[in-house]
Amino acid sequence: MSGFIPRNRFIGFAVLVSLLALYILVVYFQLSLKEVPVSAPQTEELIRGAIVDRNGSPLAVSTNFYHLSVTPAAVTRIEEVAELLAPVLEMSEEEIIGEIESSSRVFYLKKHLDENEYEAVRKIISDNKLSGFRFDRIPGRVYPENDLASHLVGFMGDDGVGLAGVEYSMQSTLAPQLSTDVNSSRSGLNVYLTIDTNLQYKLEKIARNALESTHAESVMMIAADAKNGEILSYISLPSVNLNEYRNSTVEQRRDLPAVSAYEPGSVFKIFSVATFIDAGVISPDEVFICDGKYDVRTVNGERVTITCLDHHGAVTAREALQYSCNDALAQMSAKIDSDFFLSKLRQLGFGSKTGIELPGETAGLLKSTNDALWSGRSKPTISIGQEIGVSALQMVKATTALTNGGIPVDLTVISRITDRDNNSIYTHVPQYEKQVFSSFTASYLLSCMETTAKLGTGYRAALGDISIGVKTGTAQMADPETGGYSDTDFLSNCVAVFPVEDPQVILYVVITKAQGENYAGRIVAPVVGEAADVIIDHMGLARDSAAALSHSGRVSFSSGLLPETDSILPDFTGVPKRLLTELLTRTDIQVRISGDGYVVSQNPPPGTPVTENMTIELYLE
């Protein structure tokens, strides 16, 4: 105004500023009249469904783990940090210092901290004002039964995706993709398996004893409902502790009943004889002469020789199974058309996957007459369980044809599926296939198996007070170095059905590479008898040796109450497993139960102060 700025310019500038201020005020006023938009609701975290046994006992429960990340540049007082964290992280001070000093970018110092470890480390970091540390929470699983039915249950990776077993095969059910619909469920569905943890525990104990006593490489044991195909117990040893699967070996993680294909040997003869009888090429009374060796020359001039374990003389089909006669079976096979024989075996499920809800299942191996390796020896050899690859699951499924009047039934490990409110989404209904044998043939083969248990190679499996039918088999295993059969490695197996007059259970046991004695009748049949005893008592099947007792009808218990777990950990000794399930529903503590029966020990000991998210381990017998 003093002449440095002309009057007209100053007035023009003032007008422009006034207009700009007026515009801002108008826009602000308009915005103030608009309704404030509601922010989109935060996506709820998906809770993975649980895996439980047929009675609801938990086998896989969702939890959280934590990764401890470090930003090296932000860490001060490295020596103090290492001294404070080393005991809790179970690392040496030198290791912590070395990793921090050698890293230039953010890295994980420790992964998979559980709730207790997380709380301990978090408190140290907070109390000592340590900088440069952060926790990343990841979804995880706790497996209360550790290695029980581990191959069936499976395990989950850090990304929340199943990697094995039912955790893998039922991934979309346990953790379905979240829908954009705000009303959609944020919880996965719960999967009820067909197994019973109590029975599984008892049978695993028997299987482990067999593994140790025979010094074998592996043991498989499958018990199935003979009528509806539900798997009652599923065992593959060696097994893996699911809570520590990252430290397991390939052998421990291998689901043998599903992925392993092998020659079953003489056990397979029951399906061969069933085919011969049903086709009418032999009769139950027909006699075959065993002179210790099947030796023929085909029309093509090919020489076929199959040796037998003994000179059995004149035998019928029943006696051929009773003595496990190779010569008689080979003679029977000569009477049937090769393609018809193979088609019957395929109808039983050999050469294809059973379709059970488990990953990686093998289809096995079943030749056709067009294969380059098919020879004049193939048919008689297949009839005695060689030149064919089967899985344990295929053997059990094929046996269901004998227990259901000639009609196979699909196997399953899923009993039902429920939502978070326990509403049933799916309930298993038996899926029966086309009839393969007549009911007469099925009944006849069961009676032959009963004879084998009473008078033949399977007599060590006989129960005495309840009928059982069995067939044993010992097969030489392939030698990968020579391409032929090994002189030292054998696969010993036995299939059983009981009771014979009304089959309820199919039991199949395989022992691989036993050291010393390897004859199935001697090492597997006794295991079958012991396991069958346990199954019968567990299921409450009627047996002649059951004790008759008179009782007033009154049953008294001790307190029948679960000790209170508030501020101080109580003594759980003597508490039955049925009362402990209440602890598994609590969210403030983690409970791990090992074994079956009653609590015999615990960790931490009684009197320990209860802290949030602490882990309580209970051991039962």
Side-chain angles (χ1 to χ4, degrees), residues 137 287 496 525 529 537 565:
R137 188 179 69 172
V287 175
D537 289 340
T565 308

Side-chain angles (χ1 to χ4, degrees), residues 479-502:
D479 187 333
E481 295 184 1
T482 65
Y485 287 104
S486 170
D487 294 327
T488 58
D489 296 338
F490 293 84
L491 183 140
S492 311
N493 59 147
C494 179
V495 65
V497 174
F498 53 91
V500 173
E501 61 276 5
D502 182 21

Side-chain angles (χ1 to χ4, degrees), residues 572-615:
F572 290 102
T573 303
V575 176
K577 189 173 186 179
R578 61 183 177 81
L579 294 181
L580 297 175
T581 55
E582 180 182 327
L583 291 175
L584 298 173
T585 63
R586 292 182 53 165
T587 58
D588 58 329
I589 57 176
Q590 302 291 327
V591 179
R592 298 180 182 176
I593 302 173
S594 300
D596 190 43
Y598 299 83
V599 178
V600 294
S601 63
Q602 66 185 76
N603 183 40
T608 303
V610 175
T611 59
E612 187 175 1
N613 293 318
M614 75 181 296
T615 297

Side-chain angles (χ1 to χ4, degrees), residues 355-375:
I356 200 169
E357 305 91 344
L358 288 171
E361 186 183 6
T362 180
L365 175 65
L366 180 60
K367 296 178 181 178
S368 73
T369 54
N370 296 322
D371 287 344
L373 296 178
W374 182 267
S375 68

